[in-house]
Amino acid sequence: MKPWPYPRIIAHRGGGTLAPENTLAGLRKAKEMGYAGVEFDVMLAADATPILMHDETLERTTNGRGAIAETAYRDMEKLDAGSWHSAPHMGEPVPSFERAGRLCIELGIWADIEIKPAKGYEAETGRAAALLARELWRGAPMQPLLCSFQPASLAAAKEAAPELPRGALTKRIPPDWEHWMQVLGCVSLHCDYRLLQPREARAVRDAGYWLLSYTVNDPHIVRVLFDWGVDAIITDRLDLIGPDFA
Ligand code: G3P
Ligand code: CA
């Protein structure tokens, strides 16, 4: 099996706990800490602009109110997505996926792009994220990985930009995981480390797929997972794990 070609330690939602999630400040923080790979979430605003956002509503991470799918990006752009984290980040904007992607390329950091659709927008979000990723990373030395918990998003990404690699996200690895990997043409399976068994890790690797685990914040657990054959982990604790943990 080809070795995992991307960074083994991936910063969760941009800068993990060190910066407001899914912001340009988070991507810069990851780079500043020496991380070569970041994960972030892509959702569609009401006008179908792909943006970086985890929740389906604005309340937790911005000073706005309401549903992402009902808010146009021109209104979201004015919001403060940094104050909830800390005062120095006051005024940090909600970035468009386009700006975030361009920044990753400029900083030379690899992107693990989670397609995070609001309910009912699974295929639309998968298609939009894949088409924009194709355009942004055209000719770039390292292609991003598109992943999702939603099979419909992965299917739409596959149809729109089949050449971009895809990863299937799951909490526990389901009994029919191999079927889904084949149908969706995925190269990697990403699971919750707390629900992973060593025999499952072996089975995934033996079947020729890469295996990732989230969200791992304890260096001892990273060591155990790597011993089980996990290829890469996603962490919130950029300060504890370190980009070169191997
Ligand atoms: O990429 C895995 C991880 O990000 C999934 O969980 O809730 O942080 O998007 P969540
Ligand atoms: Ca995510």
Side-chain angles (χ1 to χ4, degrees), residues 12-243:
H12 189 220
R13 301 186 195 175
T17 54
L18 300 178
E21 67 184 54
N22 287 316
T23 63
L24 301 182
L27 302 178
R28 290 196 183 98
K29 174 56 77 176
K31 174 69 181 179
E32 183 191 312
M33 304 267 309
Y35 281 76
V38 290
E39 184 265 5
F40 54 79
D41 306 296
V42 172
M43 197 177 283
L44 296 184
D47 56 356
T49 304
I51 57 153
L52 265 56
M53 187 62 65
H54 181 276
D55 296 5
E56 288 197 36
T57 52
L58 290 161
E59 278 80 352
R60 184 178 62 85
T61 59
T62 78
N63 61 344
R65 291 168 71 86
I68 306 302
E70 291 168 9
T71 309
Y73 186 55
R74 66 176 175 279
D75 296 322
M76 228 180 278
E77 253 181 328
K78 303 169 196 150
L79 298 176
D80 175 354
S83 285
W84 70 271
H85 179 272
S86 54
H89 288 294
M90 188 169 70
E92 183 67 34
V94 174
S96 66
F97 172 36
E98 181 173 349
R99 274 201 76 189
R102 289 196 194 286
L103 182 60
C104 287
I105 295 163
E106 184 191 315
L107 297 175
I109 45 179
W110 174 75
D112 170 7
I113 301 164
E114 181 180 347
I115 304 167
K116 194 75 135 182
K119 202 168 167 35
Y121 296 87
E122 289 80 4
E124 198 181 332
T125 312
R127 192 178 314 116
L131 289 174
L132 187 49
R134 166 196 275 167
E135 198 183 308
L136 292 172
W137 274 268
R138 198 184 295 280
M142 225 187 331
Q143 292 296 290
L145 179 66
L146 298 171
C147 60
S148 188
F149 284 102
Q150 301 299 331
S153 297
L154 290 170
K158 180 178 179 225
E159 200 185 319
E163 76 282 10
L164 292 180
R166 288 171 301 282
L169 277 167
T170 180
K171 287 198 169 111
R172 188 186 295 280
I173 297 180
D176 56 352
W177 66 271
E178 216 168 340
H179 165 75
W180 286 107
M181 296 294 281
Q182 283 165 14
V183 168
L184 300 167
C186 289
V187 297
S188 56
L189 184 61
H190 310 204
C191 66
D192 185 329
Y193 78 91
R194 293 166 302 185
L195 303 171
L196 177 67
Q197 301 293 327
R199 64 179 161 73
E200 294 171 326
R202 251 193 324 273
V204 173
R205 305 277 334 300
D206 287 351
Y209 298 105
W210 290 308
L211 178 62
L212 280 75
S213 264
Y214 61 85
T215 303
V216 193
N217 295 327
D218 178 337
H220 298 106
I221 298 177
V222 180
R223 167 58 47 227
V224 170
L225 293 169
F226 281 176
D227 287 347
W228 289 359
V230 169
D231 293 288
I233 64 99
I234 295 148
T235 186
D236 270 328
R237 293 303 303 267
L238 278 58
D239 50 336
L240 284 185
I241 309 290

